[in-house]
Amino acid sequence: MAGKSFFIDTTKCTGCRGCQAACKQWNQNPGTKTVQRGSYQNPPDLSAATFKLVRFSEETDTPGEQRWLFFPDQCRHCIYPPCKMEADRTAPGAVILDPKTRAVIFDPAVKVSPEAFKGIREFCPFDIPRHDEKTGAMAKCTMCFDRVGEGLPPACVKSCPTGTMNFGERDDIRKMAQKRLDEVRKVHKRASLIVPESVRVIFLVKDYPEKYHRFASRGSEVGVTRRTALRRFVDPLARAVRS
Ligand code: SF4
Ligand code: SF4
């Protein structure tokens, strides 16, 4: 199981959104008009023009105190991507695997009908894919496979000033993530890595994943289709890796 992986250590994230801006710049995605919604998170969600979004959650566990939980959300580049399984059936060629990095990529030249897109999005355990209604293509993080192919890190990793965003060979990244988890758990007993055996984008969170975002972990609130996809494609892999 070669290929690349990310380690996203949310305990180091300051919510500066450098990664979000760098992603827009590299992918030449247009800016999104934003409005004050009572949150520093902007825009409100991922879109065909926003592949990376720093989600902000305000925590008020301790009376009189507030804390931020930052979650730089993006495609997890699943080892066995449910989006591809569904796309192969309903929109052949729309989702491909980069042989070098194992990045999961949507082909912008393949048009996907709204009905097919609905199914593909529902198969994603993390609610990532978006549809460009103007072009008919799908859109999401590409792992910057074009940069990586030239020996450069993904734009979000290059821009992150805090060490939150890390990228490299999968085995090295898994070790890095486990080592950091062991350190963080000494202070934060609920800290965990989110399904590291099933994805190439491994998040470390210091509290329950659902406190960060409803789709932060596949175990969060998921629809019937997502549950089916998880049972069929992701859980068997996790069991095989553990056994
Ligand atoms: S996170 Fe969703 S869009 Fe990304 S590879 Fe996995 S199933 Fe596909
Ligand atoms: S650039 Fe790094 S510190 Fe800033 S929001 Fe992104 S992940 Fe967090």
Side-chain angles (χ1 to χ4, degrees), residues 33 35 43 48 51 53 66 78 108 157 169 182 185 221 233:
K33 191 169 182 192
V35 293
F51 302 165
L53 175 70
Q66 279 191 332
C78 300
V157 176
E169 297 301 323
D182 294 343
R185 269 222 179 118
E221 183 185 343
F233 304 126

Side-chain angles (χ1 to χ4, degrees), residues 179-189 191:
K179 185 164 178 279
R180 180 66 182 150
L181 173 66
D182 294 343
E183 288 167 7
V184 172
R185 269 222 179 118
K186 289 176 190 160
V187 180
H188 301 284
K189 303 297 176 204

Side-chain angles (χ1 to χ4, degrees), residues 6-11 13 52-55 70-77 126 128 164-165 173 177 181 191-196 199-207 209 212-213 215-217:
F6 293 80
F7 170 46
I8 303 185
D9 182 353
T10 67
T11 68
C13 182
K52 175 96 178 163
L53 175 70
V54 183
R55 297 190 184 276
F70 301 121
F71 193 81
D73 201 8
Q74 64 172 89
C75 170
R76 310 301 198 276
H77 295 280
F126 308 102
I128 297 296
T164 303
M165 299 294 307
I173 287 291
L181 173 66
S192 67
L193 301 174
I194 300 178
V195 293
V199 295
R200 291 188 183 276
V201 180
I202 301 169
F203 280 88
L204 167 61
V205 287
K206 65 184 178 188
D207 210 329
Y212 291 74
H213 172 48
F215 294 118
S217 176

Side-chain angles (χ1 to χ4, degrees), residues 14 32 36 43 55 61 68 91 128 132 167 179-180 190 204 212 219:
T14 59
T32 306
Q36 174 55 266
R55 297 190 184 276
D61 277 0
W68 290 104
I128 297 296
D132 186 331
F167 184 78
K179 185 164 178 279
R180 180 66 182 150
R190 294 201 288 254
L204 167 61
Y212 291 74

Side-chain angles (χ1 to χ4, degrees), residues 5-219:
S5 284
F6 293 80
F7 170 46
I8 303 185
D9 182 353
T10 67
T11 68
K12 294 183 177 176
C13 182
T14 59
C16 72
R17 289 188 286 206
C19 53
Q20 190 175 310
C23 177
K24 281 240 180 214
Q25 185 184 38
W26 181 256
N27 289 292
Q28 300 186 335
N29 279 336
T32 306
K33 191 169 182 192
T34 57
V35 293
Q36 174 55 266
R37 298 172 302 108
S39 166
Y40 285 109
Q41 179 183 313
N42 243 326
D45 203 359
L46 295 168
S47 72
T50 303
F51 302 165
K52 175 96 178 163
L53 175 70
V54 183
R55 297 190 184 276
F56 287 55
S57 299
E58 282 179 64
E59 271 284 301
T60 52
D61 277 0
T62 311
E65 278 185 27
Q66 279 191 332
R67 65 172 177 159
W68 290 104
L69 295 176
F70 301 121
F71 193 81
D73 201 8
Q74 64 172 89
C75 170
R76 310 301 198 276
H77 295 280
C78 300
I79 302 288
Y80 294 107
C83 60
K84 179 168 171 22
M85 310 271 180
E86 176 66 356
D88 285 350
R89 194 177 67 80
T90 60
V95 184
I96 50 181
L97 274 180
D98 176 44
K100 201 166 171 188
T101 60
R102 309 305 289 168
V104 181
I105 306 163
F106 288 162
D107 185 342
V110 177
K111 302 215 181 316
V112 177
S113 71
E115 296 74 31
F117 170 70
K118 186 167 178 282
I120 292 166
R121 180 168 173 177
E122 287 184 350
F123 263 67
C124 173
F126 308 102
D127 192 36
I128 297 296
R130 295 295 187 266
H131 199 214
D132 186 331
E133 287 170 10
K134 286 193 196 127
T135 66
M138 296 200 300
K140 70 164 190 67
C141 162
T142 66
M143 198 192 270
C144 285
F145 73 100
D146 45 352
R147 288 177 59 91
V148 175
E150 296 298 321
L152 298 169
C156 56
V157 176
K158 176 77 177 169
S159 70
C160 178
T162 64
T164 303
M165 299 294 307
N166 302 274
F167 184 78
E169 297 301 323
R170 180 164 176 80
D171 289 346
D172 297 340
I173 287 291
R174 293 260 344 235
K175 283 183 201 144
M176 180 192 287
Q178 186 59 50
K179 185 164 178 279
R180 180 66 182 150
L181 173 66
D182 294 343
E183 288 167 7
V184 172
R185 269 222 179 118
K186 289 176 190 160
V187 180
H188 301 284
K189 303 297 176 204
R190 294 201 288 254
S192 67
L193 301 174
I194 300 178
V195 293
E197 61 282 336
S198 300
V199 295
R200 291 188 183 276
V201 180
I202 301 169
F203 280 88
L204 167 61
V205 287
K206 65 184 178 188
D207 210 329
Y208 299 123
E210 56 270 25
K211 287 195 173 184
Y212 291 74
H213 172 48
R214 62 189 285 217
F215 294 118
S217 176
R218 62 186 200 182

